[in-house]
Amino acid sequence: MISSNITEVLDFPRHDHLEELVLAGLRLTWLGDGVFAGLRRLRLLDLSHNQLSTLAAAVLPARLQRVRLAGNPWHCTLALAWLTEPSVRRILDDQQAMQCGAALYPRRPVMTVVSLLKRVSDECPASDMCSCELTRVVRDAREARRDADVGDLVPIITVNCSHRGLGAMPDRLPANTTTLLLRGNKISSVGPLVDKHPGVLDVYLDDNNVESVADLEGSRWLTNFRVLSLRANKLQQLPTYALDNALERNVHAVRVYLGLNPWRCDCDFMPLFQELLAKYKSLIADWDDIRCESVEGDDNSLKKIHSLSRSAVCREEGAPAVTALDLLNAALGSALVLVLAKLAFDYWQYRRYGKLPWVAAKLP
């Protein structure tokens, strides 16, 4: 390879007999469309080991039989999708050695990544519903060995359907979708996580109309999820036992968001809910935003649930502020104070005047 400072080639000189052209190692960053159109007999083109990040299909002459493109820091986007066409792959000598640059998918095979990008684009719901992104491409931990290049590649996909006015989750998502963003919609059911999208690990359902998570009870999804965000929905209660049982078995869970919901602070639900929150405090990310529903005239309105006392929650509705038991306790306390005061007075009187208390003086 020749060291060179050439970075761009916009128009290669016309030549009627040139069949092989080697431009390897020249620091090329850009080639103009049709740059080699004047090389009508060109059969082999070597553009390897340059600084090319993208390449238009129009760069390659129609009659090429062999092309070399490895050693460039390819920017792996759908702009390179044409490279995966069978007619192009047939002439690529070094397609197995082509790798993506450091920007998005470092050291990942160009052909694999671009093929995944095409699949994600094809399987993504309609553009007015969601946008889909191939966020990463990782090695399958079940297949990988000591060598970092061994093992199947697994796509990590994020689907963003936030603020689209959706009344329900999409029926179809790209395979291997791991993160689903559904913020700011009108979704009321979490059921699709059980029967349609059990492989989605991170779900953000903030600012929706979810009133119940009972559909998740006993599901595989609840024992495998990583992130569940249900902030600012319409939840008043949830199945505490089922959630506790699932979280005990879920070794993947890292965050749960439950704040800004109108939680019902009654004696049937709240004590169990408080126990659940305390047990999984390390997972609950918005601890201080979990409050009682706003009720006019209720002493517990909008109070932080974790700080409520049991007596404040379990007081019967309409019960008097001072009960008969409270009065009895006050009377017993007052009597005890009087007895102690009389004992102290009698002791002082005996020490000073030698006079025994009346009761003691009457004893035989």
Side-chain angles (χ1 to χ4, degrees):
M1 291 186 295
I2 302 171
S3 177
S4 169
N5 290 323
I6 298 176
T7 59
E8 295 184 0
V9 178
L10 300 179
D11 188 14
F12 203 84
R14 179 186 177 91
H15 200 293
D16 292 332
H17 304 289
L18 185 64
E19 295 187 0
E20 296 186 5
L21 178 61
V22 178
L23 298 174
L26 299 182
R27 301 184 183 180
L28 292 174
T29 60
W30 180 257
L31 292 171
D33 292 353
V35 60
F36 303 117
L39 306 178
R40 299 184 179 182
R41 292 182 177 269
L42 190 64
R43 298 293 180 266
L44 181 147
L45 176 62
D46 189 345
L47 296 171
S48 61
H49 301 285
N50 281 285
Q51 297 298 315
L52 295 170
S53 60
T54 189
L55 192 70
V59 170
L60 303 185
R63 296 185 180 182
L64 272 179
Q65 297 177 358
R66 298 170 61 194
V67 182
R68 295 170 189 162
L69 297 174
N72 287 282
W74 296 108
H75 187 61
C76 292
T77 66
L78 286 175
L80 294 178
W82 63 274
L83 289 174
T84 63
E85 297 295 329
S87 59
V88 179
R89 299 193 71 156
R90 279 196 298 268
I91 65 174
L92 281 176
D93 280 358
D94 52 1
Q95 59 183 281
Q96 299 300 325
M98 293 174 63
Q99 294 186 341
C100 301
L104 293 174
Y105 317 102
R107 298 184 58 195
R108 298 304 184 219
V110 169
M111 295 301 174
T112 300
V113 171
V114 174
S115 296
L116 287 173
L117 286 169
K118 287 177 62 178
R119 179 173 68 77
V120 170
S121 177
D122 293 341
E123 296 178 358
C124 190
S127 58
D128 60 338
M129 290 180 59
C130 307
S131 61
C132 302
E133 179 184 0
L134 180 65
T135 52
R136 284 188 299 157
V137 178
V138 300
R139 296 287 174 185
D140 190 339
R142 296 169 299 180
E143 302 292 337
R145 301 294 185 266
R146 292 181 181 180
D147 186 345
D149 291 330
V150 175
D152 294 333
L153 288 172
V154 177
I156 306 298
I157 299 168
T158 296
V159 177
N160 188 349
C161 308
S162 296
H163 306 289
R164 306 295 177 101
L166 302 181
M169 296 185 192
D171 290 332
R172 183 176 64 97
L173 295 174
N176 295 99
T177 295
T178 55
T179 300
L180 180 57
L181 307 177
L182 292 162
R183 297 184 178 102
N185 286 294
K186 302 175 183 178
I187 296 169
S188 59
S189 174
V190 294
L193 295 176
V194 177
D195 52 22
K196 294 180 180 178
H197 312 308
V200 177
L201 300 177
D202 307 331
V203 177
Y204 295 84
L205 273 162
D206 309 354
D207 299 300
N208 277 278
N209 296 329
V210 178
E211 297 182 0
S212 172
V213 294
D215 289 339
L216 300 179
E217 189 171 347
S219 68
R220 171 178 167 266
W221 188 88
L222 203 56
T223 57
N224 286 282
F225 81 91
R226 291 185 310 200
V227 177
L228 173 60
S229 185
L230 290 165
R231 286 174 61 83
N233 276 274
K234 297 183 179 180
L235 291 169
Q236 291 188 305
Q237 56 186 359
L238 47 73
T240 53
Y241 174 78
L243 186 56
D244 183 19
N245 185 49
L247 290 175
E248 279 192 343
R249 293 184 292 148
N250 190 337
V251 298
H252 309 291
V254 293
R255 284 288 182 273
V256 177
Y257 299 84
L258 297 171
L260 305 181
N261 281 284
W263 296 107
R264 180 179 299 167
C265 291
D266 59 25
C267 197
D268 293 330
F269 170 66
M270 194 49 52
L272 296 176
F273 190 39
Q274 285 180 312
E275 291 177 8
L276 181 75
L277 295 179
K279 184 175 181 179
Y280 298 104
K281 183 178 180 180
S282 61
L283 294 180
I284 308 297
D286 52 354
W287 176 262
D288 285 334
D289 289 335
I290 303 175
R291 300 170 181 256
C292 299
E293 63 181 326
S294 176
V295 179
E296 186 176 354
D298 187 345
D299 293 339
N300 296 328
S301 179
L302 296 179
K303 284 189 175 179
K304 298 177 183 178
I305 287 176
H306 67 79
S307 64
L308 284 177
S309 65
R310 189 180 184 90
S311 60
V313 175
C314 292
R315 186 174 65 239
E316 290 186 11
E317 189 174 337
V322 179
T323 64
L325 183 60
D326 294 332
L327 293 174
L328 179 60
N329 288 334
L332 291 176
S334 299
L336 180 61
V337 170
L338 290 174
V339 169
L340 293 175
K342 182 65 169 66
L343 180 62
F345 175 76
D346 289 343
Y347 176 75
W348 172 81
Q349 193 174 46
Y350 174 75
R351 290 293 302 269
R352 185 161 186 173
Y353 301 108
K355 183 179 178 180
L356 291 172
W358 180 82
V359 174
K362 297 297 182 181
L363 290 175

